[in-house]
Amino acid sequence: MSESRLWQEVDYYLTARLLSDALGDDALTAALRDSEAAGLPPIAVSPTQGKLLQLLARVQGARHILEIGTLGGYSTIWLGRALPSDGRLISLEYDPRHAEVATRNIARAGLDRQVEVRVGPALESLPLLADENPPPFDLVFIDADKANNRHYLEWALKLTGTGSLIVLDNVVRGGRVADPDDTHPDVLGTRAALDMIGSHPRLSGTAIQTVGAKGHDGFALVRVVE
Ligand code: SAH
Ligand code: DHB
Ligand code: MG
């Protein structure tokens, strides 16, 4: 068995053992099915990763969540379900077609009162959001165009407070992040974000590599301090 096949098999095993609820959950499975039918790329978080995000949101006691990069709303549903009934999640998405699919998926999950999808380039939506003076977000999930990861991290820092958690997806990308010959804008954006995490006095973070249904990748987990 190839390495990546093995990672996938183990991820499926863990999903079957630990996440049978999610496998039988109509809103989650329909969100993936309709995303695929609409031609969206199959790059949502895996079930085990979605559950991790949900656990982090619950541990955090999150009432206000910001997501950058909605796609079909699969990660949004995992996160949205961690919210108390008066909690809110805002998710930013560039592609109106993705946002439309996500909005339907989120409504089917019964989360349309708590979740709002805002369409446009996130670097335009974020200053508009900041102008509204929202309460600090308890959790920010950054999962959009990786070239802008450092900018997204800077906005996340502005929109959070002490104790908030910022999660960045796809920080390893099969090891590309650590390959000095790789100067793709996505890789540079993630490296710049990691450099900021490692050097900023208000950020305390780490990154963990992951293997599974989505290959070899990783999350950065960052706490806002002071
Ligand atoms: N979080 C989703 C996956 C997001 S995929 C999940 O796990 O289910 C990345 C998404 O970011 C895509 O839908 C893409 O259209 C969106 N995106 C790309 N560039 C963007 C930008 N500049 N602003 C906001 N969203 C962007
Ligand atoms: C891609 C984007 C993602 O956010 C992800 O989790 C996996 C792949 C991509 O653009 O290829
Ligand atoms: Mg991702």
Side-chain angles (χ1 to χ4, degrees):
M1 204 187 301
S2 73
E3 250 184 353
S4 65
R5 174 82 196 285
L6 176 63
W7 301 338
Q8 215 169 72
E9 291 295 325
V10 174
D11 211 356
Y12 294 151
Y13 167 84
L14 294 173
T15 304
R17 287 279 148 161
L18 301 172
L19 302 173
S20 52
D21 291 5
L23 291 176
D25 184 289
D26 289 342
L28 284 169
T29 52
L32 290 180
R33 186 197 63 215
D34 286 8
S35 296
E36 189 185 349
L40 272 50
I43 57 175
V45 294
S46 66
T48 47
Q49 293 174 341
K51 182 67 182 272
L52 172 67
L53 291 172
Q54 184 175 86
L55 281 170
L56 290 169
R58 291 212 167 113
V59 166
Q60 191 66 3
R63 291 185 61 232
H64 300 281
I65 297 177
L66 174 64
E67 176 176 69
I68 307 177
T70 318
L71 192 65
Y74 185 73
S75 56
T76 320
I77 293 171
W78 277 107
L79 285 166
R81 286 188 171 162
L83 288 170
S85 56
D86 62 344
R88 265 177 71 67
L89 186 157
I90 295 176
S91 188
L92 309 180
E93 172 54 51
Y94 169 75
D95 189 323
R97 223 167 36 89
H98 296 185
E100 202 183 297
V101 173
T103 301
R104 278 198 303 270
N105 287 336
I106 290 160
R108 180 169 37 209
L111 289 167
D112 42 340
R113 273 187 329 109
Q114 288 154 288
V115 174
E116 184 189 345
V117 179
R118 296 190 178 185
V119 184
L123 287 179
E124 288 179 18
S125 306
L126 286 160
L128 295 174
L129 175 60
D131 284 345
E132 296 168 21
N133 282 316
F137 290 95
D138 308 298
L139 190 154
V140 181
F141 179 47
I142 299 175
D143 190 22
D145 50 324
K146 316 306 172 192
N148 281 317
N149 267 346
R150 186 190 168 107
H151 302 297
Y152 295 147
L153 184 58
E154 279 165 2
W155 276 107
L157 188 55
K158 287 193 190 111
L159 292 165
T160 51
T162 303
S164 295
L165 179 69
I166 303 169
V167 180
L168 279 92
D169 194 20
N170 311 114
V171 299
V172 173
R173 283 285 173 97
R176 290 179 61 188
V177 73
D179 174 0
D181 294 331
D182 197 327
T183 55
H184 191 281
D186 289 353
V187 171
L188 296 182
T190 294
R191 260 184 217 140
L194 292 173
D195 288 344
M196 177 171 161
I197 295 165
S199 60
H200 199 287
R202 293 193 59 220
L203 297 177
S204 168
T206 189
I208 48 159
Q209 301 185 66
T210 55
V211 294
K214 295 197 69 187
H216 173 208
D217 214 320
F219 289 107
L221 303 165
V222 191
R223 184 173 160 88
V224 179
V225 293
E226 283 150 44

